[in-house]
Every structure is written in C-alpha cells, then in structure tokens.
C-alpha cells in the first residue's frame, strides 16, 4: 500500500529543507565536491564517446584527466598572468580614460563641461572612484577566491573528485535509479530526462559557446592591437550566456578603449567594431543553433533571477547550483502546467461532458 500523498509531500519537503540547510551551512566545504561534480557532468559525454571508440571507462577517464590537467597548466602558465596584469593595468588607466573623456566633452560640448555641471562632476567622481576602489576590488576578489578555492582544493580535491565521479558516473546513475520510489519511478525518470536535456543544452552548449567566443574576441582584439584585448575578450565571453549582453558589454568596452587608443585611425576602430559584429553573426547563426539548440527552456530573465537569489543566499556555491535548480524548476513548472491543463480544475464542466461522450 502506497503512502498517502500528504505523507509523501511531508517527507520530500523535509528532504528539500535538509538540502538547503546543508547548502547554507556547508557551502564552503561542499564547494570542491560541487565543482568536481560539475566537471564530471560536463565531461561525461566525452567519456561515453571514447568508450564507443573501444576504450574502457578507466582508460577514457585517465585520458580526459591528463588532457584537462595539461590544458589547465598551460592556461596557468601562459594566460592567467597576462590576464591579471591586463586587468590591473586597465584599472590603473581608467582615471586617465575618464579624464580624456572629460576633455573630449569640454572640446565638443563646452556647455556641459563647466566645473559646476553634473556631467563634469560625475566623470571626475567616477574616475576617482575607479582609481581608489578598482584595485581594492580586484585584489579583494582575488584574495576571497584564494580563501575559498585554495591551492589544495584547486590542485588536489577538485581533480580527484572529478576523476572518481567521472569514472563511476554510469554506476551512480544506475544506483540512483534503483533507489527511486517504485510508484513514481516512471514520472521521475521522465522529469530527470527533461532536466538533463535542458542542462546539457545550456551548460555544455553555452559553456562551449562562451569559451569559443571569448577566445575569438581575445585573439582577434589582440591581433588588431587593442591594448586590453585579452581582458575584454574574457569579459565578453564570460557573459555570453545572457543573449546579446556579452556583445553589448564587450563591444562597448572594446570600442570605448579603441576610441582612446586609435583616435583618428578609423580603420582600426572599425575593425574592433567588426570583430563584435562578426562574433554576433557567428553566435546567432552557427554556434548557438548547433551547440545549444533553439529550445533550451531557460529564459534569460529566469536564469538571472535564479543566479541573483541563490548568489545572495548561498554565495558562490549558490551560483553554481542556480542553473541546475533553475532548469529543474522550469521542467517541473512545465510538467505541472501540463497536468493542470488536463485536470478537472482547468477543464471544469467540459471534462464531465467529455467523460459522458
């Protein structure tokens, strides 16, 4: 005899409360395990493909781990120091850029550049704030990141967790399936399948799109000679998962820097603008349709809301779980909407008429 619905809701609600309480109090401890699980989830299709090519699961996991570690070491040695140096230099040069902007406004729009004007005061205060707070903010972010993701977690715990989870991924999925309540197993499998499709399309797809576009923007901007091309490309690629925002923020920053660096050289400025125009064409017509698909099920506003709420409540760990939770809630909302549309609560008297017919 199955448990009454009220009792089932009581137990599952208790399980959800325990999960969020654990996330609240054990966030920093759970961080390397969440990161390792995310990496394993991201790389599981690669392992499956290597298995289809004839490799054992262990061999496939070892190959993936070695390639990832090699890529990580190369990035640490070649890219990260340059990225940090450019970010620090950009923060230091910002006051000069605002000063040049103020001089430009004074030359072109003298009525707005009076010492008592709002624009003059705003640009002066903004430049001073960036100079004073920018370096503190950058060092604070780096220091807090190092305090949360310390060297031991980054170099030992996360790779080890990712390795073992990737190695046993299929066994874990089968074991979880075996533990599902029998009465609800078919529905749970259906919902889990839809959630997995949404996550796979968004996380894996958009992660790949962000990486490709970020690399493209960084390399292309450095080729045309933009001074802070690597930082701009990194920022543009990082926020590409929000439609149009990556190109808008990165393009505005790049063109603004190009105007100060290449003023009078309209060819170089046009090249910078063309880089982002081409990036948008490639993203909209090639990358997103091929890697993400046209129907992911995660609206950008819903995603931003989830990131904001979970980030405010649970910090960095909350932001990591925001996307899968948002995907799960979206799938559940569509499922319950479908159930409602076929229920007597929605159909009303028409349902009784259909039963009679």
């Amino acid at each position: 005899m199955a448990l009454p619905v009220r009792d089932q809701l009581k137990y599952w609600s208790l399980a959800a409360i325990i999960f969020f309480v654990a996330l609240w109090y054990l966030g920093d401890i759970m961080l390397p395990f969440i990161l390792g699980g995310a990496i394993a989830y991201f790389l599981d299709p690669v392992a499956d493909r290597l298995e289809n090519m004839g490799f054992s699961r262990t061999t496939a996991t070892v190959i993936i781990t070695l390639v990832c570690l090699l890529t990580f070491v190369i990035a640490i040695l070649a890219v990260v120091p340059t990225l940090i140096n450019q970010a620090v230099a950009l923060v230091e040069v910002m006051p000069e850029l605002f000063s040049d902007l103020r001089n430009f406004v004074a030359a072109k729009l003298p009525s707005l550049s009076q010492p008592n004007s709002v624009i003059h005061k705003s640009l002066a205060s903004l430049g001073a704030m960036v100079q004073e707070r920018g370096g503190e903010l950058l060092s604070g972010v780096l220091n807090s990141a190092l305090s949360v993701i310390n060297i031991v977690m980054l170099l030992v715990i996360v790779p080890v967790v990712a390795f073992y989870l990737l190695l046993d991924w299929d066994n874990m999925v089968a074991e979880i399936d075996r533990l599902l309540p029998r009465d609800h197993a078919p529905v749970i499998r259906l919902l889990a399948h839809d959630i997995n499709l949404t996550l796979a399309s968004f996380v894996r797809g958009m992660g790949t799109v962000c990486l490709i576009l970020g690399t493209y923007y960084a390399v292309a901007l450095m080729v045309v000679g933009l001074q802070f091309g690597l930082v701009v490309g990194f920022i543009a690629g990082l926020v590409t998962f929000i439609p149009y925002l990556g190109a808008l923020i990165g393009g505005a920053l790049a063109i603004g820097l190009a105007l100060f660096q290449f003023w009078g050289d309209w060819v170089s400025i046009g090249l910078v603008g063309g880089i982002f125009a081409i990036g948008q064409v490639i993203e909209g017509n090639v990358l997103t349709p091929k890697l993400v698909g046209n129907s992911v099920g995660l609206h950008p506003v819903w995603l931003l809301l989830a990131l904001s709420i979970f980030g405010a409540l649970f910090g960095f760990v909350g932001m990591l779980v925001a996307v899968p939770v948002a995907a799960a809630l979206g799938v559940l909302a569509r499922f319950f909407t479908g159930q409602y549309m076929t229920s007597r609560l929605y159909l009303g008297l028409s349902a009784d008429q259909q039963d009679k017919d």
Side-chain angles (χ1 to χ4, degrees):
M1 179 178 178
L3 283 175
V5 175
R6 181 177 298 178
D7 291 340
Q8 294 186 41
L9 288 175
K10 184 189 304 182
Y11 291 129
W12 289 115
S13 299
L14 180 62
I17 292 173
I18 292 174
F19 170 76
F20 285 110
V21 169
L23 192 64
W24 180 279
Y25 287 103
L26 303 177
D28 292 345
I29 298 174
M30 295 170 61
L31 179 58
F33 300 94
I34 294 176
L35 286 174
I39 293 172
Y41 175 79
F42 190 87
L43 295 175
D44 179 61
V46 181
D48 292 338
R49 187 165 299 181
L50 289 176
E51 283 188 283
N52 294 333
M53 295 171 59
F55 294 96
S56 67
R57 185 71 181 193
T58 302
T59 304
T61 304
V62 170
I63 293 173
I64 293 172
T65 303
L66 292 177
V67 171
C68 290
L69 288 177
L70 180 61
T71 304
F72 175 76
V73 171
I74 293 174
I76 288 294
L77 296 178
V79 178
V80 173
T82 305
L83 181 63
I84 294 176
N85 290 335
Q86 284 196 12
V88 173
L90 179 60
V91 170
E92 292 176 349
V93 82
M94 273 296 181
E96 182 181 348
L97 296 180
F98 283 111
S99 176
D100 292 342
L101 178 60
R102 190 169 62 247
N103 294 334
F104 175 82
V105 172
K108 300 298 182 181
L109 301 169
S111 61
L112 299 177
S113 61
Q114 299 299 322
N116 294 327
S117 67
V118 176
I119 292 182
H120 185 276
K121 293 180 179 179
S122 299
L123 290 176
S125 61
L126 188 58
M129 183 186 68
V130 170
Q131 185 178 23
E132 294 175 3
R133 303 295 184 185
E136 296 178 6
L137 177 62
L138 184 62
S139 62
V141 169
L142 293 176
N143 290 335
S144 63
L146 289 176
S147 65
V148 175
I149 311 174
N150 54 48
I151 299 300
V152 175
M153 289 184 179
L154 189 62
L155 299 181
V156 179
I157 300 180
V158 172
V160 169
V161 171
F163 176 85
Y164 283 108
L165 289 180
L166 183 61
L167 182 64
D168 295 328
W169 190 267
D170 294 337
N171 294 330
M172 289 189 302
V173 172
E175 183 64 20
I176 292 173
D177 182 79
R178 190 180 69 84
L179 295 175
L180 294 177
R182 296 297 92 187
D183 289 344
H184 307 294
V187 175
I188 294 176
R189 291 191 188 105
L190 176 63
L191 293 176
H193 178 263
D194 291 342
I195 292 171
N196 179 63
L197 287 180
T198 302
L199 279 177
S201 298
F202 187 83
V203 177
R204 294 170 182 151
M206 283 308 301
T208 306
V209 171
C210 291
L211 181 61
I212 293 174
L213 281 180
T215 303
Y216 159 73
Y217 287 138
V219 172
L221 291 174
M222 288 191 294
V223 167
V224 299
L226 190 67
Q227 188 174 1
F228 304 104
L230 184 61
V231 175
V232 175
F234 176 80
I235 294 173
L238 190 64
V239 294
T240 295
F241 72 94
I242 306 173
Y244 307 110
L245 188 61
L248 182 63
I249 294 177
L253 182 59
I255 293 175
L257 292 171
L259 287 173
F260 288 103
Q261 182 177 343
F262 302 123
W263 183 258
D265 184 1
W266 303 111
V267 174
S268 297
I269 297 174
L271 287 174
V272 172
I275 287 171
F276 281 89
I278 294 173
Q280 279 299 285
V281 172
I282 295 174
E283 177 192 358
N285 296 282
V286 179
L287 294 179
T288 300
K290 296 291 185 182
L291 298 176
V292 181
N294 295 321
S295 180
V296 175
L298 280 178
H299 194 278
V301 176
W302 173 242
L303 180 64
L304 283 176
L305 179 63
L307 288 171
S308 301
I309 293 175
F310 277 80
L313 292 176
F314 306 110
F316 182 69
V317 176
M319 297 184 69
L320 289 179
V321 301
V323 172
V325 170
L329 292 178
V331 170
L332 291 175
R334 289 190 292 273
F335 172 77
F336 286 117
T337 299
Q339 296 292 107
Y340 164 71
M341 297 289 285
T342 59
S343 68
R344 290 180 180 272
L345 180 63
Y346 173 76
L347 296 175
L349 296 177
S350 61
D352 296 332
Q353 184 64 35
Q354 290 175 4
D355 292 339
K356 293 178 181 179
D357 295 340

